[in-house]
Amino acid sequence: MSEPRVTVTKLEFPYSRTLGPVLGAFIGGLREGKLLGIRARDGRVLAPPVEYDPETGESLGSEMVALGPEGTVVAWTWVGQPTAKHPLGRPFSFALVKPDGADTAMVGPVDAGSPDSMSTGMRVRARFNPEPKGLVTDLTWEPAR
Amino acid sequence: MASSDIAVVATAQTPSVREANPSEVQLLVPTIAAAIEKAGIERREIGFTCAGSCDYLTGGPFAFVSNLEAAGAWPPISESHVEADGAWALYEAWMRLHEDDIDVALAFGSGKSSPSNPAEVWAQQLDPYYLAPLGLDPVSLAGIQAQALLASGKATERDFAEVVAASRRNAKSNPNAQLSGDFDVDALLAEPYFRQPLRKHDCPPISDGAVAVVLARGERARSIAAAAGRRPAWIRGMDHRVEPHQPGMRDLTSSASTSLAARKAGYDGGPLDVAELCSTFSPQELVLRSALGLGEEVSVNPSGGPLAGNPIMAVGLVRIAEAAERVMDGSAGRALAHATAGPLLQQNLVCLMEGE
Amino acid sequence: MSAPPKEHLVMEHLVTLTYREKLTENLNRFADNLLEARIVGHKCPSCGRVYVPPKGYCPLCVVATGNNDEVELPDRGTLTGFTIITPVAYYGQQQTEPFVWASVLLDGADTPLTGQNITGVPHSELRMGLRVKARWKPREQRSVEGMTNRGWGGFGDVVESFEATGEPDAGEEVYKEHIF
Amino acid sequence: MRERCAIVGVGQTHFKKRRDDVSIAGLLREAVDRALEDAQLSLADVDAVVIGKAPDAFEGIVMPELFLADALGAAGKPLLRVHTAGSVGGSTVVVAAHHVVAGIHGTVLAVAWEKQSEGNAQWGLAGGRSGGIGAGGAFAPWMRAYIQQSGAPDYIGWMVAVKDRRNAAKNPYAHLKMPDITLEEVRDSPMLWDPIRFQESCPSSDGACAVVLTAGGLVGRSPGPPAWIHALSVRSELGSFPGRNPVRPQAGVDCAHDVYRQTGITNPRQEIDMAELYVPFSWYEPMWLEGHDIAGPGEGWKMVDSGETDIGGAFPVNPSGGVLSTNAIGASGMVRFAEAALQVRGLAGEHQVGEVHTALAQAYGGAAQYFAMGVLRDTPPE
């Protein structure tokens, strides 16, 4: 019997997601070089801005708060061999970054060149895509000078 | 919610392998048949069947429909499906057995990870606005968690390696394991990073597999077990809890939902012989041990756990099956099984079982 | 703050997932045979039903079937059901004209081949019971690339169509249990 | 243990072709908030959340309930995802109710949804491949077989379409509202899959539905009238095998007989006051009337013909406008239960059919192989 044939199935679709006011404000903000969070009822500022309190489900309204442009690395890992699905084509860090002014951290890529440049507590700065695509990938972090 | 008269009475699973040539249904056909045969029951005695699988892992919308062909669905059966690990299918079947009108239920879980790139599939499980477009793969997420654990001072990289060495050592006696053997911790630590601070061996293998579990109630559970010369693994309690999704909005170095589920399942921290934990990455075993308050005397993952074989969508139910087998064969008096779902232990299920 | 412009409230995200897998042994042998213009199914050792394409098990008896259960079938059978599909446009859709989607029960089989094209009669004369025979593509044009393990596309691209034979229609007893 | 269980809150979104004003979370919360308001409860009162939707590929998110956990106020609670194809909305109510009936939890929130405009359901139904036949293409041969077997005239399908679209005009949440649609308009609409015409087919909708279920002892917390659950059943069968009767699937027969048995109903046509049935193509109304033994063989279409299934008829079917008027696939099965509950509670507003003591809710899915059914009443079980 011959070696079994390899079959390839591709599931591909260009999804079109409606964002609503809160997510829309964040993604729209990136287009304008702004980083936004949202204020919860208890005063905490959540980044990325979510529509409902993660603990209680309470609706948070839409009081957006300007954050950054710098932030602090809370935790990180190093991606030595990025794949085509990753936001950067060269080695980078996926990190939890707490933007200045926020009480929570968000996951994003840090374009740091080498894992030796990375450390918990390091300061990073937001870099915005000059040709925004309207995706969260319009935001990249880089080590602050 | 503790109920003392529902038990696991039979289990069957495929070996965990890197690539199985049979289709997912073909893996399920003999597995379900074996569980039913071990229970010594007629197929028609099953009053409720519940399946767990993932369309996107199999690679097509409605993929779960094919799995019905392994469940003996003619004449029609009372059946449901969860888009989740088979452990949640077992939860639904266990719940259904509380209603007194049926005595036997079947739960199964199945998944073939080999056709896909799991890193790409599971990135699509994340928040579609803030996380999925980053191509944020589960290994990178686990790397972030591992680093947070190191920074918290709760663990060291050597601890991670020791988990791996123990897993593969335990797996030597598990015929269904995919990875097993004797490994030196220092040698493991000399391996290069894959996602710093994780090395490849800190991550689970890519696996195909299936598992089926028969539950029975009261006298029927006793008679089934007696006929097989074993004892039922009585489910003393079962519960599952979820946490907020965003990794930055919860403490990654602990697992609050595991602790809560264990408490709700009636686990009081008392003596335990075996714990089968769905610790997909080595640091997660440390997080789960701590969340459950397991002492050194507890045998954790005697099967080797997910690091020795990770058939996603079955792997959680495999934990329950492995723990139940220890109770049924009398080698454990009290056993705890854990299953998880979502990124970085977002959702956790705990099942507490005892012998007579 | 002012409301963001409407176009900023939509996010376009192309999701692409690729699945590569070996054909199951039963389908791979089925494919080998199709390329040679032979149609080989599995006969359930328990109930005797013949499945084509072979599933590798009988879903009614829930027992596995294997190479020892192979049976060759004629390339001739009966139309058991059909729909004229007017294709709707969607991402990846290549069909633009109405097409026939018919089920053909080969003589001796217990499961129909679905999704077949029927020629030799106008669409208006399609009917259950119509007798048809495979019009095989030339050997070098036969392809089984579209086959997958996932329950659809199980017949590859090996025939031009099933063509009406002109035989008298089969009776209702032949197709009434196969309205799919 | 068997606890009594009632639906005390019902919420739906406004269903539309594209809800471009909200995120997925926002869409779900619209239904959840309405259901909680109806029950006069808050998220804090909910012990567990059960969520259902059709295939994940419709929106391109694997197990979306995980990212939606926050918006559902599920943190610290059990969250269970059901997926049984088109029947899933009904199955979700059934699974949620079992949490209560089994005595596991006191108050359960059930949510079902689909935001079809994020993707394309035809692409999803085709498994992402070219040459998809759509649900209509799959079901058309069976409808043709029904028409042949029953001798039903063509216009029966048109009548169902007219009835449901006109009913939908009375339902504030329905998607397609066509108060003036005529038989001629349906008859003259394009043939999609013979015998199904465009106006005899369901739309593609964005929307969500939510239901609050609570144990008998907790019903008093909600001021509105409860809809008591008297029977629940699910049945599944193989979608294709030699000898299968897809026109009258045995799983549908068994499921119906199971709920009749549980409620002691011996003559469903007499003892049930109204039904919400999953009818995505018009011919499925008579097919289910017969397939669930509400009407005898060949009698289902006559119930349609005589107006018996109209809002003012003796056995109203789909006064909400049904799936023919509103189809966010994952939600559609739950809407059947929600609308049946509204009827029993006397809260259906303009499409209330009168006094309803006993209502039947039904959903089906896959190749007409998955069934979920329930019987609701205005009085508690004994």
Side-chain angles (χ1 to χ4, degrees):
Chain A
M1 192 187 93
S2 59
E3 177 68 9
R5 293 168 180 79
V6 173
T7 70
V8 179
T9 304
K10 192 158 85 170
L11 277 184
E12 180 175 275
F13 195 85
Y15 291 94
S16 173
R17 310 203 183 287
T18 58
L19 297 173
V22 174
L23 312 177
F26 177 84
I27 297 289
L30 296 184
R31 291 176 182 271
E32 298 161 19
K34 287 191 295 202
L35 186 60
L36 298 176
I38 192 165
R39 190 178 303 283
R41 204 69 65 84
D42 61 7
R44 285 181 311 149
V45 174
L46 305 180
V50 290
E51 297 170 274
Y52 302 94
D53 188 296
E55 297 295 339
T56 65
E58 179 186 38
S59 178
L60 296 179
S62 56
E63 190 194 337
M64 309 305 289
V65 180
L67 304 174
E70 294 195 359
T72 303
V73 170
V74 174
W76 60 279
T77 188
W78 189 257
V79 182
Q81 291 173 307
T83 69
K85 298 286 172 84
H86 283 144
L88 293 175
R90 53 187 173 275
F92 69 100
S93 166
F94 264 131
L96 270 174
V97 176
K98 188 188 280 189
D100 290 350
D103 292 292
T104 61
M106 53 193 286
V107 182
V110 182
D111 190 7
S114 150
D116 300 334
S117 314
M118 292 299 301
S119 63
T120 299
M122 77 183 278
R123 298 285 293 164
V124 290
R125 185 180 182 83
R127 184 174 79 204
F128 300 93
N129 186 356
E131 294 169 32
K133 296 191 170 75
L135 289 166
V136 69
T137 48
D138 288 338
L139 169 67
T140 303
W141 299 92
E142 58 190 17
R145 305 251 162 241
Chain B
M1 71 220 47
S3 171
S4 57
D5 77 338
I6 297 165
V8 174
V9 292
T11 82
Q13 57 179 296
T14 63
S16 187
V17 296
R18 176 61 182 85
E19 183 178 4
N21 182 253
S23 67
E24 195 171 318
V25 196
Q26 285 173 289
L27 291 179
L28 280 168
V29 167
T31 306
I32 292 172
I36 289 171
E37 193 186 328
K38 280 190 193 177
I41 58 169
E42 294 291 322
R43 222 171 244 278
R44 301 310 305 174
E45 200 187 332
I46 297 167
F48 182 67
T49 300
C50 198
S53 69
C54 172
D55 277 359
Y56 256 119
L57 190 64
T58 312
F62 303 104
F64 76 98
V65 175
S66 298
N67 293 348
L68 192 59
E69 298 194 336
W74 184 256
I77 57 174
S78 176
E79 187 263 358
S80 200
H81 171 260
V82 293
E83 193 79 356
D85 185 285
W88 275 266
L90 182 109
Y91 178 85
E92 189 177 325
W94 169 78
M95 182 172 77
R96 186 65 189 77
L97 277 168
H98 280 70
E99 293 176 32
D100 298 346
D101 56 333
I102 59 170
D103 287 328
V104 181
L106 169 73
F108 60 90
S110 56
K112 287 183 72 175
S113 293
S114 61
S116 65
N117 179 345
E120 296 181 353
V121 170
W122 298 109
Q124 291 303 317
Q125 192 188 45
L126 303 173
D127 178 313
Y129 315 102
Y130 292 147
L131 299 175
L134 296 173
L136 183 57
D137 56 281
V139 184
S140 293
L141 271 172
I144 291 172
Q145 182 182 35
Q147 207 277 338
L149 202 61
L150 294 181
S152 73
K154 291 178 181 174
T156 65
E157 290 185 34
R158 177 165 289 272
D159 294 334
F160 301 166
E162 281 173 354
V163 166
V164 175
S167 157
R168 296 192 179 173
R169 188 168 59 241
N170 290 349
K172 288 198 299 180
S173 56
N174 177 2
N176 297 315
Q178 188 173 342
L179 298 177
S180 62
D182 291 309
F183 289 84
D184 176 62
V185 168
D186 288 312
L188 291 175
L189 286 170
E191 296 284 319
Y193 288 126
F194 180 50
R195 290 283 191 277
Q196 188 176 337
L198 294 181
R199 298 169 172 86
K200 277 206 165 154
H201 54 247
D202 292 309
C203 309
I206 292 173
S207 312
D208 294 349
V211 59
V213 173
V214 178
L215 295 176
R217 196 167 66 88
E219 281 311 310
R220 192 67 187 107
R222 286 191 183 84
S223 64
I224 289 172
R230 311 205 307 168
R231 59 182 187 176
W234 299 106
I235 297 175
R236 296 305 185 206
M238 182 155 39
D239 194 89
H240 61 104
R241 301 280 153 166
V242 70
E243 292 182 50
H245 179 75
Q246 297 287 341
M249 296 186 186
R250 52 189 160 105
D251 179 4
L252 299 180
T253 70
S254 68
S255 180
S257 56
T258 300
S259 304
L260 182 58
R263 201 158 67 240
K264 296 283 186 183
Y267 178 58
D268 50 9
L272 208 57
D273 299 307
V274 165
E276 279 284 343
L277 308 180
C278 210
S279 42
T280 312
F281 295 89
S282 62
Q284 292 180 351
E285 182 176 313
L286 305 170
V287 170
L288 292 168
R289 275 174 181 270
S290 163
L292 293 163
L294 302 183
E296 288 302 316
E297 73 287 356
V298 182
S299 169
V300 173
N301 286 347
S303 68
L307 288 172
N310 186 37
I312 300 176
M313 308 318 292
V315 65
L317 185 54
V318 169
R319 304 279 71 74
I320 294 174
E322 288 287 346
E325 287 290 341
R326 302 291 84 75
V327 175
M328 288 189 285
D329 68 17
S331 62
R334 196 166 188 239
L336 180 150
H338 160 268
T340 193
L344 301 182
L345 304 172
Q346 188 196 346
Q347 187 178 20
N348 296 284
L349 178 147
V350 171
C351 177
L352 184 65
M353 288 169 283
E354 291 178 352
E356 291 292 355
Chain C
M1 75 176 283
S2 61
K6 195 142 192 176
E7 65 272 21
H8 291 184
L9 292 174
V10 177
M11 184 187 112
E12 305 289 340
H13 187 205
L14 181 71
V15 176
T16 307
L17 294 169
T18 305
Y19 300 81
R20 284 187 180 79
E21 63 188 311
K22 291 175 181 158
L23 274 188
T24 59
E25 186 180 4
N26 42 295
L27 281 181
N28 198 56
R29 290 170 66 96
F30 181 66
D32 283 345
N33 281 311
L34 282 183
L35 293 175
E36 303 305 323
R38 287 195 302 263
I39 303 173
V40 177
H42 278 188
K43 180 171 188 162
C44 172
S46 170
C47 69
R49 288 186 184 88
V50 172
Y51 293 88
V52 56
K55 290 169 177 282
Y57 57 91
C58 169
L60 290 167
C61 302
V62 207
V63 297
T65 59
N67 301 346
N68 292 337
D69 302 308
E70 286 182 346
V71 286
E72 184 163 354
L73 295 155
D75 61 356
R76 186 182 284 265
T78 300
L79 182 67
T80 63
F82 65 93
T83 312
I84 311 293
I85 304 291
T86 304
V88 291
Y90 56 79
Y91 185 84
Q93 169 72 289
Q94 287 153 23
Q95 301 284 350
T96 53
E97 297 302 316
F99 60 95
V100 179
W101 200 90
S103 297
V104 173
L105 185 71
L106 299 176
D107 295 345
D110 287 290
T111 58
L113 295 170
T114 56
Q116 301 304 315
N117 184 25
I118 305 292
T119 52
V121 292
H123 286 182
S124 60
E125 290 178 25
L126 288 173
R127 59 198 179 270
M128 291 188 276
L130 184 73
R131 293 288 296 164
V132 295
K133 184 181 188 317
R135 269 180 63 209
W136 295 91
K137 288 188 168 181
R139 173 71 180 80
E140 63 280 7
Q141 287 176 27
R142 288 179 212 146
S143 164
V144 291
E145 273 179 27
M147 287 180 68
T148 87
N149 296 339
R150 295 194 182 76
W152 55 72
F155 198 56
D157 187 16
V158 294
V159 297
E160 305 281 0
S161 68
F162 279 85
E163 189 155 67
T165 62
E167 296 167 80
D169 282 5
E172 190 185 324
E173 72 283 358
V174 173
Y175 59 80
K176 71 174 182 201
E177 295 203 329
H178 303 276
I179 315 173
F180 193 91
Chain D
M1 173 185 301
R2 287 185 74 87
E3 283 278 351
R4 291 183 304 173
C5 176
I7 293 173
V8 292
V10 164
Q12 299 177 54
T13 62
H14 291 281
F15 290 85
K16 284 175 65 176
K17 184 169 182 54
R18 182 161 171 84
R19 283 295 306 266
D20 59 4
D21 55 328
V22 287
S23 67
I24 293 172
L27 185 75
L28 266 64
R29 275 298 291 270
E30 210 173 285
V32 168
D33 290 349
R34 286 194 179 113
L36 289 169
E37 190 188 346
D38 183 10
Q40 288 290 294
L41 295 172
S42 73
L43 281 174
D45 297 312
V46 171
D47 299 317
V49 181
V50 182
I51 185 164
K53 73 178 295 299
D56 290 354
F58 283 4
E59 290 83 9
I61 308 164
V62 177
M63 301 171 188
E65 54 281 358
L66 290 164
F67 96 88
L68 291 166
D70 308 25
L72 294 167
K77 297 173 187 175
L79 173 68
L80 186 65
R81 159 72 188 284
V82 181
H83 176 19
T84 59
S87 67
V88 66
S91 305
T92 303
V93 176
V94 171
V95 174
H98 279 305
H99 280 73
V100 176
V101 177
I104 310 276
H105 290 294
T107 301
V108 179
L109 173 66
V111 190
W113 66 282
E114 210 73 63
K115 198 164 188 308
Q116 291 182 212
S117 73
E118 308 257 315
N120 181 301
Q122 296 301 328
W123 174 90
L125 291 168
R129 295 156 69 98
S130 176
I133 61 168
F139 294 138
W142 305 342
M143 293 180 228
R144 212 162 43 231
Y146 170 77
I147 293 167
Q148 277 179 10
Q149 289 167 14
S150 68
D154 287 357
Y155 64 79
I156 296 297
W158 314 337
M159 283 183 74
V160 173
V162 167
K163 167 182 73 80
D164 281 4
R165 274 14 180 310
R166 288 187 177 182
N167 288 353
K170 300 177 173 169
N171 173 0
Y173 297 107
H175 175 175
L176 292 179
K177 299 182 173 97
M178 308 171 85
D180 304 317
I181 190 171
T182 62
L183 284 181
E184 291 70 27
E185 274 176 73
V186 180
R187 181 195 66 198
D188 297 340
S189 65
M191 184 71 84
L192 297 184
W193 309 274
D194 187 20
I196 312 172
R197 294 184 180 277
F198 175 72
Q199 288 293 5
E200 295 175 280
S201 310
C202 55
S204 175
S205 316
D206 284 358
C209 181
V211 163
V212 180
L213 301 114
T214 201
L218 298 171
V219 162
R221 288 185 306 177
S222 300
W228 292 96
I229 292 177
H230 282 249
L232 297 166
S233 187
V234 291
R235 284 292 184 281
S236 310
E237 75 178 45
L238 303 176
S240 168
F241 62 90
R244 179 173 194 233
N245 182 350
V247 179
R248 178 183 156 86
Q250 190 62 37
V253 176
D254 291 359
C255 197
H257 283 260
D258 191 24
V259 296
Y260 302 155
R261 180 189 57 76
Q262 291 175 41
T263 45
I265 289 174
T266 54
N267 185 341
R269 190 165 168 180
Q270 292 296 322
E271 296 171 64
I272 294 171
D273 298 314
M274 62 81 58
E276 281 280 341
L277 308 177
Y278 200 105
V279 177
F281 303 100
S282 57
W283 283 101
Y284 266 103
E285 179 169 309
M287 284 167 74
W288 292 142
L289 288 170
E290 295 178 32
H292 299 323
D293 284 339
I294 294 162
E299 295 295 317
W301 67 266
K302 292 175 187 163
M303 286 178 70
V304 176
D305 201 16
S306 69
E308 193 172 337
T309 61
D310 291 353
I311 282 185
F315 193 96
V317 175
N318 296 333
S320 66
V323 182
L324 265 184
S325 306
T326 306
N327 191 28
I329 296 178
S332 283
M334 187 173 287
V335 173
R336 309 281 68 73
F337 281 73
E339 285 288 344
L342 288 175
Q343 293 285 342
V344 162
R345 300 166 76 205
L347 301 177
E350 217 187 318
H351 63 287
Q352 178 74 36
V353 301
E355 209 170 296
V356 175
H357 302 294
T358 301
L360 177 69
Q362 175 260 26
Y364 85 95
Q369 67 192 116
Y370 291 97
F371 291 84
M373 297 178 78
V375 172
L376 307 178
R377 281 180 169 156
D378 59 349
T379 51
E382 285 164 19

